[in-house]
Amino acid sequence: MTAGGRAASFVRDGEGGGSWGNRGSPTFADVVSSAVIRRAAMVKMVVIAALAALVATLVAVLIRWLPESASEEMDRITFVYWFATIICIGIFALVAAVIIEAVWAFRVQPDDDTDGPPIHGNTRLEIAWTIVPAILVIAIGVVSAVVLSKNADAGSNPLHVKVFAQQFAWRFEYPGKVMSDELVMPLHRNVKFEMQSADVIHSLWIPQMGQKQDVVPGITTEIVITPTRTGTFTLICTELCGLGHAVMRAQAFVLSAADYEKWIAAEKAKAAATGSAAGKTLFTQQCGSCHRLADAGTQGEVGPDLDKVLAGKDADFIHESIVNPNAEIAPGFQPNVMPSTFGESLTDAQLQSLVDYLVKTAGKS
Ligand code: CUA
């Protein structure tokens, strides 16, 4: 019997040994009900599956694949990873058991060149191996969709932080126009990032926070992070953006709510001090030769005395007077004396510091 001892075991008792040719092809039921999948084989497969599951579980658990979570979003992402991993371990164990047992049980002699038995399908088994994976994949999809939606929810009172990315640096703007090169987040508060790029595509990622989002020129992208522990982290650009990509990093700090308030107050004071100094310098250089202003000590008389005409005026009026000087001409002065080009020649930041400075000082001394 050259078909090998194994092939013979496909044949039911009483049908005699020989080649498959004389009796047609066996159905799956023949195979199952035959001695091939015997009790012993089942036991062996269960043992192999348990071993495979154990090894896979050890690999999953003992190796630190993910950084220690520092945000609610990362907690949810980690859950998705484990959900999918557990399913994968189950499937791996099943497949490993069937393959190892099949390779062992149905191996042939080295000189056996005969065809294997042409086995027919099994409808019930095929339905099962279609439906079960479909359910598992849909389950992973549903869990992922729920997590994505929760991770995008900034809640009712998030801290808004604008992110400006450019080759190869990050800048962060806090409410009140406080600018910072470092990211500072208060503990347990939803932080909503609104991100813009000045040049190419960058991507914001703090590994312990899980969330990752591209920063794309021309549009504003968003991401939400809710820190769950204080500490120092590294914000990484994770989109290849040019020669300096690898160094496009920023420090990220998570502070307690009280420490965050202290930090933002200090930054505001610093910004006010430098903004005010910049506004005064700018005024002296650009406006002082034509305008009198006591705080700056300028004596110009080509244009109106600003301590008189700006007293009690708001920022909008001052801004308009700088960029569009003919909008309102002070009594006793002619239109077109003051250049109407300051709106273009000054940057927005310069204009802002000038307006801030004049709001604070004109007519106040
Ligand atoms: Cu920016 Cu890589």
Side-chain angles (χ1 to χ4, degrees):
M1 201 174 65
T2 51
R6 278 293 159 184
S9 61
F10 277 95
V11 181
R12 282 190 218 171
D13 292 341
E15 282 188 300
S19 68
W20 290 103
N22 354 344
R23 56 174 292 270
S25 40
T27 65
F28 193 87
D30 292 331
V31 175
V32 173
S33 63
S34 75
V36 175
I37 299 182
R38 302 173 306 263
R39 195 171 206 89
M42 279 311 268
V43 171
K44 255 193 285 176
M45 285 199 284
V46 169
V47 171
I48 295 169
L51 281 174
L54 177 70
V55 170
T57 304
L58 289 177
V59 170
V61 173
L62 293 184
I63 299 176
R64 249 184 94 217
W65 297 99
L66 298 174
E68 192 193 337
S69 171
S71 77
E72 287 178 15
E73 291 75 19
M74 179 64 170
D75 291 344
R76 296 190 194 109
I77 291 168
T78 306
F79 173 78
V80 177
Y81 271 110
W82 280 114
F83 186 75
T85 301
I86 289 166
I87 290 173
C88 290
I89 288 174
I91 292 172
F92 172 72
L94 180 70
V95 171
V98 173
I99 285 184
I100 291 171
E101 171 59 16
V103 165
W104 178 257
F106 301 113
R107 73 192 188 283
V108 295
Q109 298 300 319
D111 60 346
D112 181 357
D113 292 333
T114 54
D115 289 341
I119 300 169
H120 270 282
N122 179 290
T123 308
R124 266 196 308 185
L125 190 68
E126 283 168 16
I127 288 173
W129 77 41
T130 303
I131 287 180
V132 172
I135 290 171
L136 294 177
V137 170
I138 290 168
I140 294 174
V142 168
V143 167
S144 303
V146 169
V147 165
L148 271 177
S149 137
K150 280 191 173 177
N151 278 3
D153 182 5
S156 55
N157 182 31
L159 170 67
H160 289 270
V161 177
K162 286 187 184 152
V163 179
F164 300 100
Q166 67 177 93
Q167 292 167 319
F168 299 97
W170 298 97
R171 295 271 287 159
F172 307 96
E173 185 190 313
Y174 288 81
K177 294 208 182 291
V178 174
M179 299 298 298
S180 171
D181 292 332
E182 292 164 342
L183 175 63
V184 178
M185 291 180 281
L187 190 63
H188 296 310
R189 172 131 183 231
N190 294 331
V191 183
K192 182 169 186 179
F193 296 94
E194 285 140 26
M195 310 193 287
Q196 293 176 344
S197 169
D199 37 49
V200 300
I201 301 178
H202 305 274
S203 186
L204 180 145
W205 186 42
I206 302 168
Q208 295 88 343
M209 308 288 179
Q211 298 277 65
K212 189 190 271 186
Q213 176 65 56
D214 277 7
V215 190
V216 182
I219 61 171
T220 300
T221 53
E222 293 175 349
I223 192 175
V224 178
I225 291 176
T226 314
T228 50
R229 62 183 167 96
T230 56
T232 304
F233 306 93
T234 304
L235 186 158
I236 295 167
C237 177
T238 181
E239 182 70 57
L240 183 59
C241 56
L243 218 51
H245 162 69
V247 296
M248 188 169 163
R249 290 168 175 232
Q251 293 260 71
F253 301 94
V254 176
L255 304 178
S256 68
D259 285 348
Y260 169 79
E261 290 306 329
K262 268 186 230 158
W263 175 81
I264 196 78
E267 290 297 308
K268 268 185 191 153
K270 224 198 297 178
T274 54
S276 174
K280 185 170 183 171
T281 306
L282 205 57
F283 181 86
T284 310
Q285 292 166 350
Q286 303 269 337
C287 324
S289 57
C290 296
H291 291 285
R292 178 192 293 271
L293 184 73
D295 186 83
T298 59
Q299 305 291 332
E301 290 183 347
V302 178
D305 180 337
L306 297 183
D307 284 312
K308 287 185 184 140
V309 298
L310 294 186
K313 299 292 190 185
D314 64 6
D316 287 343
F317 178 86
I318 295 172
H319 186 274
E320 177 74 359
S321 303
I322 296 171
V323 300
N324 186 13
N326 292 331
E328 189 176 328
I329 301 297
F333 292 89
Q334 297 298 314
N336 298 319
V337 174
M338 175 167 160
S340 54
T341 51
F342 285 111
E344 285 98 64
S345 63
L346 296 175
T347 66
D348 284 353
Q350 284 177 320
L351 205 50
Q352 188 63 45
S353 67
L354 202 50
V355 171
D356 288 348
Y357 173 67
L358 286 168
V359 167
K360 244 186 296 176
T361 56
K364 304 276 163 64
S365 55

